Protein backbone atom coordinates (compact mmCIF):
# COMPACT_ATOMS: atom_id res chain seq x y z
CA UNK A 1 0.00 0.00 0.00
CA UNK A 2 1.23 3.48 -0.78
CA UNK A 3 2.62 4.93 2.41
CA UNK A 4 3.70 1.55 3.81
CA UNK A 5 7.21 0.15 3.71
CA UNK A 6 7.94 -0.48 0.01
CA UNK A 7 8.74 -3.91 -1.41
CA UNK A 8 11.39 -2.27 -3.59
CA UNK A 9 13.71 0.54 -2.58
CA UNK A 10 12.31 2.89 -5.20
CA UNK A 11 8.53 3.31 -5.22
CA UNK A 12 7.02 4.15 -8.60
CA UNK A 13 4.13 6.60 -8.87
CA UNK A 14 2.24 7.29 -12.10
CA UNK A 15 0.22 10.48 -12.36
CA UNK A 16 -2.60 10.37 -14.90
CA UNK A 17 -3.25 13.88 -16.15
CA UNK A 18 -6.76 14.53 -17.38
CA UNK A 19 -7.68 17.46 -19.64
CA UNK A 20 -8.07 20.69 -17.65
CA UNK A 21 -6.22 19.19 -14.67
CA UNK A 22 -5.27 21.63 -11.94
CA UNK A 23 -1.52 22.23 -11.83
CA UNK A 24 -1.16 23.01 -8.10
CA UNK A 25 -2.10 19.54 -6.80
CA UNK A 26 0.13 17.88 -9.42
CA UNK A 27 3.16 19.85 -8.28
CA UNK A 28 2.07 19.29 -4.66
CA UNK A 29 2.34 15.54 -5.32
CA UNK A 30 5.70 15.66 -7.11
CA UNK A 31 7.65 18.12 -4.95
CA UNK A 32 7.44 16.14 -1.67
CA UNK A 33 8.66 13.05 -3.56
CA UNK A 34 11.56 15.00 -5.03
CA UNK A 35 12.45 16.44 -1.64
CA UNK A 36 12.25 13.01 0.04
CA UNK A 37 14.72 11.72 -2.55
CA UNK A 38 16.99 14.70 -1.98
CA UNK A 39 16.87 14.52 1.83
CA UNK A 40 17.51 10.77 1.92
CA UNK A 41 20.18 10.99 -0.77
CA UNK A 42 18.52 7.90 -2.28
CA UNK A 43 15.96 7.39 -5.05
CA UNK A 44 13.06 6.51 -2.75
CA UNK A 45 10.48 7.60 -5.35
CA UNK A 46 10.23 7.90 -9.10
CA UNK A 47 7.28 9.35 -10.95
CA UNK A 48 5.95 9.46 -14.48
CA UNK A 49 3.22 11.52 -16.13
CA UNK A 50 0.62 9.83 -18.31
CA UNK A 51 -2.38 10.77 -20.38
CA UNK A 52 -5.08 8.47 -21.68
CA UNK A 53 -3.59 8.46 -25.18
CA UNK A 54 0.02 9.44 -24.45
CA UNK A 55 -0.42 12.90 -25.95
CA UNK A 56 0.34 16.20 -24.16
CA UNK A 57 -2.41 17.46 -21.86
CA UNK A 58 -3.47 21.06 -21.29
CA UNK A 59 -3.90 22.07 -17.65
CA UNK A 60 -6.73 24.36 -16.57
CA UNK A 61 -4.16 27.16 -16.74
CA UNK A 62 -3.56 26.40 -20.42
CA UNK A 63 -0.04 25.07 -19.80
CA UNK A 64 0.60 22.11 -22.09
CA UNK A 65 2.24 19.22 -20.23
CA UNK A 66 4.08 16.39 -21.94
CA UNK A 67 3.19 12.82 -21.00
CA UNK A 68 5.68 9.97 -20.61
CA UNK A 69 3.13 7.70 -22.27
CA UNK A 70 -0.40 6.37 -22.31
CA UNK A 71 -2.16 4.15 -19.76
CA UNK A 72 -0.49 1.00 -21.11
CA UNK A 73 2.98 2.41 -20.38
CA UNK A 74 2.31 2.80 -16.65
CA UNK A 75 4.70 0.50 -14.77
CA UNK A 76 2.95 -2.55 -13.31
CA UNK A 77 4.37 -1.81 -9.84
CA UNK A 78 3.33 1.85 -9.84
CA UNK A 79 0.84 3.45 -7.52
CA UNK A 80 -1.54 5.61 -9.58
CA UNK A 81 -2.83 9.10 -8.92
CA UNK A 82 -5.62 10.51 -11.10
CA UNK A 83 -5.18 14.27 -11.46
CA UNK A 84 -8.46 16.07 -12.03
CA UNK A 85 -9.47 19.66 -12.38
CA UNK A 86 -12.23 21.42 -14.26
CA UNK A 87 -15.19 19.78 -16.03
CA UNK A 88 -14.40 16.20 -15.00
CA UNK A 89 -17.86 15.12 -16.15
CA UNK A 90 -16.64 15.85 -19.71
CA UNK A 91 -13.28 14.12 -19.32
CA UNK A 92 -14.31 10.75 -17.93
CA UNK A 93 -13.10 8.31 -20.57
CA UNK A 94 -14.32 4.69 -20.87
CA UNK A 95 -10.77 3.45 -21.51
CA UNK A 96 -9.61 5.08 -18.28
CA UNK A 97 -12.53 3.73 -16.24
CA UNK A 98 -11.87 0.21 -17.50
CA UNK A 99 -8.13 0.53 -16.88
CA UNK A 100 -8.75 1.77 -13.32
CA UNK A 101 -11.13 -1.10 -12.54
CA UNK A 102 -8.61 -3.67 -13.83
CA UNK A 103 -5.82 -2.02 -11.85
CA UNK A 104 -7.91 -2.00 -8.69
CA UNK A 105 -8.64 -5.72 -9.09
CA UNK A 106 -4.86 -6.30 -9.29
CA UNK A 107 -4.46 -4.49 -5.95
CA UNK A 108 -2.86 -1.33 -7.32
CA UNK A 109 -2.82 1.63 -4.94
CA UNK A 110 -5.00 4.32 -6.53
CA UNK A 111 -5.32 7.93 -5.52
CA UNK A 112 -6.95 11.08 -6.80
CA UNK A 113 -6.25 14.76 -6.39
CA UNK A 114 -8.73 17.60 -6.77
CA UNK A 115 -11.73 16.33 -8.75
CA UNK A 116 -9.98 13.11 -9.77
CA UNK A 117 -12.22 11.47 -7.15
CA UNK A 118 -15.08 12.00 -9.62
CA UNK A 119 -13.34 9.62 -12.03
CA UNK A 120 -12.70 7.03 -9.31
CA UNK A 121 -16.38 7.21 -8.32
CA UNK A 122 -17.48 6.90 -11.95
CA UNK A 123 -15.37 3.71 -12.15
CA UNK A 124 -17.15 2.42 -9.03
CA UNK A 125 -13.94 2.41 -6.98
CA UNK A 126 -15.33 4.63 -4.20
CA UNK A 127 -18.47 2.60 -3.50
CA UNK A 128 -18.40 1.99 0.25
CA UNK A 129 -15.06 3.77 0.68
CA UNK A 130 -14.18 6.93 2.57
CA UNK A 131 -13.16 9.71 0.21
CA UNK A 132 -13.02 13.45 -0.24
CA UNK A 133 -13.17 15.92 -3.10
CA UNK A 134 -12.75 19.67 -3.53
CA UNK A 135 -15.28 21.48 -1.32
CA UNK A 136 -16.95 23.15 -4.32
CA UNK A 137 -17.85 19.71 -5.65
CA UNK A 138 -19.08 18.08 -2.42
CA UNK A 139 -22.85 18.59 -2.85
CA UNK A 140 -23.02 17.44 -6.47
CA UNK A 141 -20.58 14.59 -5.86
CA UNK A 142 -22.62 13.27 -2.92
CA UNK A 143 -25.77 13.39 -5.00
CA UNK A 144 -24.20 11.73 -8.05
CA UNK A 145 -22.37 9.02 -6.10
CA UNK A 146 -24.46 8.10 -3.04
CA UNK A 147 -22.50 4.87 -2.44
CA UNK A 148 -19.28 6.81 -1.81
CA UNK A 149 -18.66 7.83 1.80
CA UNK A 150 -17.58 11.39 1.09
CA UNK A 151 -16.27 13.67 3.83
CA UNK A 152 -15.31 17.34 3.87
CA UNK A 153 -11.71 16.53 4.81
CA UNK A 154 -8.41 17.47 3.21
CA UNK A 155 -7.23 13.86 2.85
CA UNK A 156 -8.92 10.47 3.09
CA UNK A 157 -7.37 7.04 2.82
CA UNK A 158 -9.35 3.81 2.86
CA UNK A 159 -7.69 0.49 2.01
CA UNK A 160 -5.73 1.10 -1.20
CA UNK A 161 -7.70 4.23 -2.20
CA UNK A 162 -6.46 7.76 -1.43
CA UNK A 163 -8.20 11.04 -2.21
CA UNK A 164 -7.54 14.66 -1.37
CA UNK A 165 -9.48 17.87 -1.77
CA UNK A 166 -7.10 19.45 -4.27
CA UNK A 167 -4.73 22.39 -4.27
CA UNK A 168 -2.26 22.16 -1.43
CA UNK A 169 -4.24 19.29 0.15
CA UNK A 170 -2.21 17.08 -2.20
CA UNK A 171 0.87 18.24 -0.29
CA UNK A 172 -0.80 17.12 2.96
CA UNK A 173 -1.62 13.74 1.40
CA UNK A 174 1.93 13.18 0.20
CA UNK A 175 3.52 14.23 3.50
CA UNK A 176 1.19 11.77 5.26
CA UNK A 177 2.05 8.95 2.84
CA UNK A 178 5.79 9.64 2.86
CA UNK A 179 5.86 9.93 6.66
Amino acid sequence: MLGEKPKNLTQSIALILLPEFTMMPVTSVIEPLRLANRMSDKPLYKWTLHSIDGQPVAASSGILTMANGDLETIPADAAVIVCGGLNMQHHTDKRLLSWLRKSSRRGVDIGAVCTGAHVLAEAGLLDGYRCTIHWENLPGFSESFPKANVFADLVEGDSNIYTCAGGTAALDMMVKLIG
Side-chain angles (χ1 to χ4, degrees):
M1 181 184 309
L2 187 64
E4 290 184 0
K5 189 171 182 173
K7 294 175 186 146
N8 301 320
L9 177 60
T10 305
Q11 286 186 279
S12 181
I13 299 172
L15 287 83
I16 301 174
L17 306 178
L18 299 178
E20 297 186 83
F21 72 93
T22 307
M23 188 69 75
M24 186 177 287
V26 171
T27 58
S28 293
V29 167
I30 294 171
E31 284 302 301
L33 301 175
R34 182 187 68 79
L35 289 170
N37 286 348
R38 183 171 180 223
M39 297 305 292
S40 70
D41 206 23
K42 296 179 200 167
L44 299 175
Y45 303 96
K46 63 182 176 182
W47 52 91
T48 52
L49 304 176
H50 299 266
S51 64
I52 294 167
D53 58 6
Q55 295 301 306
V57 183
S60 60
S61 64
I63 296 173
L64 196 60
T65 305
M66 300 301 292
N68 296 101
D70 64 9
L71 298 175
E72 300 309 316
T73 64
I74 293 175
D77 65 340
V80 174
I81 299 176
V82 177
C83 303
L86 301 177
N87 301 309
M88 280 301 98
Q89 68 278 13
H90 300 300
H91 302 305
T92 303
D93 184 278
K94 288 180 183 180
R95 294 171 292 180
L96 176 58
L97 298 178
S98 175
W99 188 90
L100 287 168
R101 285 190 287 269
K102 287 177 190 172
S103 296
S104 179
R105 286 193 296 272
R106 287 192 349 261
V108 170
D109 294 326
I110 300 175
V113 297
C114 197
T115 58
H118 186 280
V119 176
L120 300 187
E122 191 74 32
L125 301 184
L126 297 181
D127 292 356
Y129 286 86
R130 289 181 66 95
C131 63
T132 192
I133 195 164
H134 192 276
W135 64 269
E136 291 177 322
N137 303 93
L138 274 169
F141 183 87
S142 295
E143 188 175 307
S144 296
F145 304 105
K147 293 181 182 178
N149 296 326
V150 65
F151 294 86
D153 295 328
L154 291 180
V155 177
E156 281 293 341
D158 190 345
S159 185
N160 67 325
I161 303 291
Y162 295 87
T163 54
C164 74
T168 58
L171 179 65
D172 295 317
M173 180 174 79
M174 297 313 292
V175 168
K176 179 178 178 178
L177 295 175
I178 290 169

